[in-house]
Amino acid sequence: MTGPRTAARRGETGFVAPDGQVWEVPAFPCPQVVVGAEYAEIDGERVPLGDDEADPRSAATAVLVAQALRLRRGQGAIRATVRAADSDVVWQAIVTANGELFDATPAAGTARSGWSRWRLLAGVGAAVVLLAVATVAVVASNRTPPPVVAVSFPPPVTGTPTPYPSLPPPGYGGQADWSAPITPGSVPLVAGDGTIVTVTGTPGSPVLAVLDPTTGAPVWSTALPRDAATSSTGSGLHLSEIDAHPVVAAATSDGLDWWGMDGAHTSGSVSIPAGATVSFAGTSPLVTEAGQRAATISGGRLVDRAVPAGAVALGASGDTVVAANSVGQVWHLGAATAQTPPSPVTVPTPPGAGALASIAGYAGLPSTTVVAHPESLVASWYTADPGTQLVGLIDPVTNTAIGAPLSVPATGIASGHWQPSPRNLLATVGTVLVDARDGVARALSTTWSTTSVTDVAAYGTRNSDRYLVSPAGQESPAGSGVIPIGMSGTRAVVTSSVAGADTVYGLPVAAGPVLPTPSVPVSAPPPQPSAGPVPSPAPSPTTTTPPAPPAPAPAAPPGPPLAAPAAPAPGPVPR
């Protein structure tokens, strides 16, 4: 390896290499590397040196290059801070997606103890050869790295009032407090602290940008893998928790990447086996693999475990997988029982119920949501009347019923599928509304059909008329205004697409009297991915003449405009 050549210089969008190529360097991730004589750590985790006891500098650089390759797909670079274990002096490094490593530490007269800057980074050559990427050039720099700011793209972010170009939801004004550009087709998320998680940038270089709920300005941002916003593996971005920290997770075609929503936004990633899927019905991501296997993420890595034959993994709560089968047996699969599942429990049967019809859904709430039952299963049972089923909530931790069961038309629950909100606070299954915070299931109108579910309301139709339903079960006409993505404080978070450009807006409550919006069709946001139920075989009917279905419930009188609920405890998401 030769010595330093030409200094990299700072450009408007990143660092300019000696060959003139501009590398985009986002603010995050920024791994913190500590290198000792016989070890290396990245963000506090020891880097495996391998059987050949590789040089720790080479091992650490290999991890950084692999992260740049995975996140940036050849389109940019990541930054890192590097420190020798016996020194307090920190160097700035830029690692590109094609394996180049730049020393971006500004020149200074400060004495450097421990390894020299050159020796600290000199082990990169062997790592790059092993990764079969381009030859590395280490370049000294006399310039500071780009400032830690969000990457912005036209149209510019504005915190000033902006006209909303579509019909607003009932009760909200048409003048937005702020607006910000988003990638076409992406769906923003509203985190527990009110910040808005968006995807912006170009299709080839997507950027995760987290926006301030008051001004819409980026709070922080990071580069995303190209397929993170659209991946079929887990349908893009989700709010979740990993190692008890709130995160925004990006499921891609071959892995899962995440960034902390608190603190320094520490990042992490794991590779996902071919054919595996990622779901977010619980507090944490669940990776479902082939061969009756499921995994959670703990300590930055996948922890695999066996799922009993005939059972389905429903969700993950921390490092525990909740699984159930069609006869109502439930397992809690922890790391200690990874290869030998424990004995199951059987969900209790409510009075008047027959055989179990299905486990229709599972909800695990964010750990910061303080409720009596942070986890709940939604189960249905057959009755002596073939036209009626009982629906009830079960606490899978204590295996006890939550409240009294609900009697609903059999077609209302059997024909529906589980549709949770992004943070699992609210959900529908057929014509049943589940408020997971209060642990209550409520019957909806028999003609109800869900369009989308947010953390504060469900939207759908009744006899082709658009309605919304509050967590308390009050159904109100929704008019023809756009359906909100969610609520941030008192603002409705909505999107609009004009001339191929998509934008997210924060709409305040209308100042004047609330007028109905005209009946003009407006597209709803894309529905959240659903989790299928665990059905049970239907027993033989006791009669061949089902009773007449009950008359449709009368329409509830129009209620007040949808308002924000009491401020939830900060925390993440969904699914």
Side-chain angles (χ1 to χ4, degrees):
M1 177 179 293
T2 60
R5 297 181 292 158
T6 307
R9 65 183 189 277
R10 198 178 108 189
E12 292 182 0
T13 60
F15 278 86
V16 182
D19 61 2
Q21 181 174 358
V22 176
W23 292 100
E24 294 182 29
V25 185
F28 299 97
C30 183
Q32 299 179 18
V33 184
V34 178
V35 182
E38 298 179 353
Y39 72 94
E41 292 182 350
I42 296 181
D43 288 334
E45 296 288 334
R46 287 292 178 102
V47 177
L49 300 184
D51 296 335
D52 58 350
E53 295 186 355
D55 178 74
R57 294 165 296 179
S58 299
T61 305
V63 174
L64 296 177
V65 172
Q67 186 174 14
L69 284 167
R70 180 176 61 255
L71 294 178
R72 302 296 286 151
R73 300 293 200 273
Q75 296 299 308
I78 62 172
R79 72 176 72 246
T81 62
V82 184
R83 178 177 65 83
D86 59 352
S87 172
D88 293 329
V89 179
V90 176
W91 292 280
Q92 305 295 325
I94 302 297
V95 185
T96 71
N98 71 354
E100 291 187 288
L101 181 67
F102 294 94
D103 180 355
T105 306
T110 305
R112 301 187 183 277
S113 60
W115 280 318
S116 69
R117 181 194 316 175
W118 176 250
R119 290 189 59 203
L120 189 63
L121 303 176
V124 66
V128 172
V129 171
L130 292 176
L131 292 173
V133 294
T135 302
V136 170
V138 180
V139 181
S141 172
N142 292 325
R143 296 183 179 272
T144 57
V148 180
V149 296
V151 181
S152 60
F153 295 85
V157 173
T158 173
T160 58
T162 305
Y164 181 56
S166 302
L167 291 172
Y172 292 88
Q175 191 84 345
D177 287 341
W178 52 261
S179 64
I182 58 175
T183 298
S186 64
V187 181
L189 301 168
V190 181
D193 60 1
T195 55
I196 298 93
V197 179
T198 68
V199 178
T200 184
T202 63
S205 297
V207 173
L208 166 68
V210 178
L211 310 182
D212 181 272
T214 303
T215 65
V219 178
W220 60 274
S221 67
T222 184
L224 283 173
R226 286 188 182 182
D227 59 345
T230 57
S231 171
S232 60
T233 303
S235 299
L237 299 181
H238 296 270
L239 297 168
S240 190
E241 293 181 11
I242 293 178
D243 291 332
H245 289 280
V247 300
V248 54
T252 68
S253 58
D254 60 356
L256 180 72
D257 302 281
W258 64 89
W259 295 266
M261 292 290 287
D262 58 357
H265 311 297
T266 302
S267 64
S269 65
V270 292
S271 297
I272 295 176
T277 59
V278 184
S279 59
F280 297 84
T283 61
S284 306
L286 170 68
V287 180
T288 303
E289 307 166 352
Q292 288 296 108
R293 310 290 297 182
T296 57
I297 300 172
S298 179
R301 58 190 179 88
L302 283 181
V303 179
D304 187 65
R305 69 213 64 204
V307 177
V312 175
L314 302 176
S317 176
D319 60 356
T320 300
V321 173
V322 178
N325 64 12
S326 61
V327 295
Q329 292 180 313
V330 179
W331 288 263
H332 283 79
L333 309 174
T337 57
Q339 306 308 320
T340 305
S343 299
V345 296
T346 301
V347 297
T349 301
L356 183 75
S358 71
I359 301 292
Y362 166 78
L365 301 184
S367 61
T368 51
T369 305
V370 181
V371 294
H373 304 282
E375 297 179 58
S376 55
L377 292 173
V378 182
S380 65
W381 294 266
Y382 296 105
T383 66
D385 179 355
T388 302
Q389 288 187 9
L390 291 181
V391 176
L393 303 184
I394 304 294
D395 186 324
V397 177
T398 61
N399 197 39
T400 56
I402 305 174
L406 183 69
S407 180
V408 298
T411 55
I413 186 74
S415 62
H417 61 272
W418 183 249
Q419 293 183 254
S421 70
R423 298 174 60 225
N424 301 320
L425 303 180
L426 198 65
T428 63
V429 53
T431 58
V432 175
L433 175 74
V434 176
D435 182 352
R437 281 170 295 198
D438 291 342
V440 177
R442 295 182 171 91
L444 299 173
S445 299
T446 57
T447 58
W448 174 273
S449 177
T450 299
T451 301
S452 66
V453 183
T454 71
D455 287 332
V456 296
Y459 293 81
T461 59
R462 289 185 351 192
N463 296 321
S464 300
D465 294 325
R466 298 180 63 189
Y467 274 77
L468 66 86
V469 58
S470 70
Q474 180 182 9
E475 299 178 28
S476 305
S480 296
V482 70
I483 294 177
I485 297 296
M487 294 292 301
S488 178
T490 59
R491 296 177 181 84
V493 180
V494 297
T495 60
S496 184
S497 180
V498 177
D502 285 19
T503 307
V504 61
Y505 300 82
L507 296 183
V509 175
V514 179
L515 301 177
T517 55
S519 297
V520 178
V522 176
S523 299
Q528 295 288 331
S530 62
V534 182
S536 298
S540 300
T542 56
T543 175
T544 57
T545 307
L562 178 63
V573 168
R575 187 182 153 92

